[in-house]
Structures are given as structure tokens and as C-alpha cells.
């Protein structure tokens, strides 16, 4: 019984608690940084209980449903998005001895999470049976390939020094030098992938204001809350992945390994939130041009650089 608890239930518990608590931290930091410069709303946002207040407010609102929606898929989409975040976080090693799912193809699984997230987000927009959510879903899918290719080249680059697709091996390969220093272009490019994966800030094409919140246009009350929870959870999972493959994961002096991982993931999360609030918003056609003309060639250069270092 103790072995089952340690090998199965404990990893599931750690992953779920990390995503739920992390989502609360994202909500708190997001609203606090949004309220900077507005004294009254800033004081309210800095209240530690502010996320719980917003939770209660969302649950008290009436849920609005469009006419003849696909109710099953409408409810299934946020659950699947959250499940994908949990799968992505499960392959992240917390220490040398604690890895929820130490797969030899952990990097491949993360790539599958990115692809399937596109399908789930489209499912959310399509199942509402309304034109604005559907337009947001189609827009997101049409732009997805442009950053997924960037992610592919960047992740192959961090796998080369480790000579493995196993995330624990990627962490071990950073004992002498972190990948953020070994491949300086990798982390900035991967952060842009994170903005696209979570449709956050300047890359929020799925629920942008010009579509009246797109896939979220007809969401309210508990349904909107659940989708927002899943979105924040994916942001947390991505931060842990970025901290693992570029910042040495759990490696660090003096402090326990899991604490180092949490600190590094929090740093990545703060950077993503800052990017979301400060980077200029691009039109979809502008982003496509930047992605194919600039970001994709840079990711290929990063891969060549990583390969040259691995051979040297």
C-alpha cells in the first residue's frame, strides 16, 4: 500500500496541487500587475484573498449558454486543456529521486501537449455554436504551426547536449552550464511559444478584443471560471517546463531541489506575465510574417548552434 501511495498517488497529488495553487498565484500576479498605477484597484488586487473573491464572484454569476451548443464538448474542452497541462507537468523532474513520470520520451510528450492543445482550443470555440468563438478558434489554429515549429527546433536543441529526450537527462546535462547560457536564443524563443500556447498577452488571438473575446465571448459564470483555471494551469506547466530545460530545473546549491525548481518556474512565470502586459499586440498577419521570416530562422540557427556545440 505504501509503495502504491508513493509511486502513483503522491505524483498525481503533487501535479494537481501545483497546478491549482499555481493558477491562484497566476490570477493574483496577473491582476496585481494589471492594476499598477491605479491606486484603488491596486490595493484591492494586492489583497491576498483577492483570488478567492473573484472565485466567489464568478460562481455567483449566471452562466449564459448559446443556442444549441454542443454541451458535451463545451464542458469537455477546459477539462482536456487542464489534463494536457497536468500531462506536461508530470514529466518534469522535481529532484533526482522524485519524477512523477520519468518517460524516456518526455520531450516528445510535451510536443504532443502543444499540438493537442490546439485541437482542444478549437473544440472550445467550435462547440459554442456561435460565430465569434468559431472565428477565434479558426484564427488560433491558423497561427499554431508558426510557433510549434519554433518549439520543435528549440527543444531539439536542448536535447542534443543531453543526447536524450528524457527530461531528467536534460537536467543532468546542465550541471556545468545551464542551457540558457549554452543556447542564449533558446529561452526567448521558447517564451514566445509559451505566449502562443496559452494565447496570452500579445499572442492572444483566440480571445482577442477585436473578436469580443473570441472563444470566450459567450462564456460567463462557472464555465468561464473553469476555462480560465485551465488556461492558468497551462501557463504554470509551461513555466515549469521552461525552468527545467533552460534553467537547470532542480539543480542548485544549498536549497532543496524542489524549491529551486519552484523558484525558477516562478521567475519564468513573472517574465511571461511581464511580456503579456508590456509587449505590443500584433495583428495576426503581422505575427505570421514575424514568425516565418524572423522567429523560425532564428530557431533553426539556435538548433545549428546547439548541434555545433554538441559536436565540439
Amino acid at each position: 500500500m505504501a509503495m502504491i501511495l508513493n509511486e502513483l498517488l503522491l505524483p498525481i497529488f503533487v501535479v494537481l496541487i501545483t497546478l491549482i495553487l499555481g493558477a491562484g498565484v497566476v490570477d493574483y500576479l496577473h491582476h496585481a500587475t494589471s492594476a499598477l498605477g491605479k491606486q484603488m484597484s491596486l490595493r484591492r488586487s494586492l489583497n491576498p484573498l483577492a483570488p478567492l473573491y473573484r472565485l466567489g464572484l464568478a460562481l455567483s454569476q449566471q452562466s449564459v449558454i448559446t443556442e444549441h451548443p454542443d454541451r458535451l464538448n463545451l464542458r469537455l474542452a477546459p477539462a482536456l486543456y487542464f489534463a494536457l497541462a497536468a500531462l506536461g507537468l508530470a514529466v518534469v523532474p522535481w529532484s533526482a529521486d522524485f519524477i512523477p513520470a520519468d518517460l524516456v520520451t518526455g520531450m516528445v510528450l510535451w510536443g504532443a501537449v502543444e499540438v493537442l492543445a490546439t485541437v482542444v482550443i478549437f473544440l472550445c470555440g467550435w462547440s459554442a455554436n456561435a460565430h465569434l468563438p468559431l472565428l477565434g478558434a479558426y484564427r488560433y489554429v491558423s497561427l499554431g504551426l508558426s510557433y510549434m515549429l519554433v518549439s520543435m527546433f528549440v527543444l531539439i536543441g536542448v536535447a542534443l547536449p543531453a543526447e536524450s529526450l528524457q527530461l531528467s537527462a536534460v537536467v543532468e546535462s546542465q550541471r556545468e552550464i545551464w542551457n540558457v547560457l549554452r543556447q542564449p536564443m533558446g529561452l526567448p524563443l521558447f517564451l514566445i511559444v509559451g505566449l502562443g500556447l496559452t494565447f496570452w498577452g500579445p499572442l492572444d488571438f483566440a480571445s482577442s478584443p477585436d473578436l469580443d473575446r473570441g472563444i470566450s465571448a459567450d462564456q460567463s459564470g462557472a464555465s468561464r471560471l473553469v476555462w480560465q483555471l485551465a488556461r492558468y494551469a497551462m501557463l504554470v506547466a509551461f513555466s515549469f517546463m521552461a525552468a527545467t530545460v533552460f534553467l537547470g530545473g532542480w539543480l542548485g546549491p544549498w536549497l532543496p531541489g524542489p524549491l529551486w525548481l519552484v523558484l525558477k518556474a516562478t521567475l519564468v512565470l513573472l517574465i511571461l506575465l511581464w511580456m503579456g502586459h508590456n509587449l505590443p499586440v500584433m495583428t495576426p498577419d503581422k505575427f505570421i510574417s514575424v514568425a516565418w521570416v524572423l522567429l523560425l530562422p532564428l530557431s533553426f540557427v539556435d538548433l545549428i548552434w546547439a548541434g555545433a556545440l554538441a559536436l565540439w
Side-chain angles (χ1 to χ4, degrees):
M1 181 63 69
M3 183 177 297
I4 295 176
L5 180 64
N6 290 331
E7 294 184 359
L8 181 61
L9 297 183
L10 180 60
I12 293 175
F13 177 79
V14 169
V15 169
L16 293 180
I17 289 298
T18 301
L19 291 179
I20 293 172
L21 293 181
V25 171
V26 172
D27 179 80
Y28 178 82
L29 294 175
H30 171 53
H31 285 87
T33 51
S34 299
L36 288 176
K38 305 173 185 177
Q39 289 187 346
M40 293 300 295
S41 59
L42 178 61
R43 285 197 294 269
R44 190 181 302 115
S45 297
L46 289 178
N47 186 339
L49 299 179
L52 294 178
Y53 170 78
R54 285 187 287 271
L55 173 65
L57 183 63
L59 291 175
S60 65
Q61 293 177 343
Q62 181 180 1
S63 294
V64 177
I65 302 296
T66 56
E67 187 176 2
H68 302 303
D70 186 335
R71 293 178 181 272
L72 175 61
N73 287 321
L74 194 61
R75 291 178 172 85
L76 196 59
L80 290 175
Y81 197 55
F82 185 90
L84 289 174
L87 282 175
L89 183 59
V91 297
V92 171
W94 289 73
S95 68
D97 301 320
F98 182 67
I99 308 171
D102 192 18
L103 302 180
V104 294
T105 55
M107 203 80 75
V108 176
L109 185 139
W110 177 260
V113 165
E114 293 179 350
V115 174
L116 291 174
T118 303
V119 178
V120 170
I121 292 168
F122 178 82
L123 183 65
C124 177
W126 176 82
S127 58
N129 192 29
H131 65 284
L132 289 177
L134 186 60
L135 285 174
Y138 271 117
R139 178 188 286 182
Y140 183 84
V141 171
S142 66
L143 299 174
L145 182 62
S146 58
Y147 66 80
M148 285 184 191
L149 289 175
V150 172
S151 177
M152 178 185 70
F153 286 128
V154 167
L155 291 179
I156 292 175
V158 298
L160 287 175
E163 299 181 0
S164 174
L165 295 172
Q166 193 170 12
L167 285 169
S168 56
V170 172
V171 172
E172 288 297 330
S173 70
Q174 300 178 77
R175 282 195 176 273
E176 298 297 327
I177 181 173
W178 292 354
N179 283 330
V180 69
L181 299 176
R182 185 185 285 142
Q183 302 164 31
M185 288 187 295
L187 181 58
L189 290 170
F190 196 56
L191 291 177
I192 295 174
V193 173
L195 294 178
L197 177 65
T198 57
F199 48 102
W200 191 264
L203 300 190
D204 185 7
F205 298 122
S207 59
S208 55
D210 66 315
L211 293 178
D212 192 24
R213 295 188 292 116
I215 63 172
S216 302
D218 295 291
Q219 291 179 344
S220 62
S223 60
R224 186 180 180 188
L225 173 67
V226 172
W227 183 252
Q228 198 71 347
L229 170 65
R231 188 183 181 193
Y232 288 163
M234 183 61 76
L235 199 62
V236 171
F238 178 86
S239 299
F240 273 83
M241 178 60 63
T244 298
V245 298
F246 285 104
L247 301 180
W250 57 268
L251 296 176
W254 307 308
L255 300 177
L259 183 56
W260 271 118
L261 178 63
V262 171
L263 291 174
K264 293 173 183 178
T266 303
L267 174 62
V268 174
L269 183 60
L270 288 172
I271 294 173
L272 287 170
L273 292 176
W274 180 90
M275 293 172 68
H277 287 296
N278 292 278
L279 292 184
V281 177
M282 292 185 180
T283 59
D285 57 325
K286 183 67 173 179
F287 174 72
I288 283 290
S289 299
V290 170
W292 289 96
V293 175
L294 179 63
L295 299 181
L296 188 59
L298 284 179
S299 66
F300 192 64
V301 170
D302 176 74
L303 178 59
I304 295 174
W305 175 264
L309 287 181
L311 291 175
W312 185 68

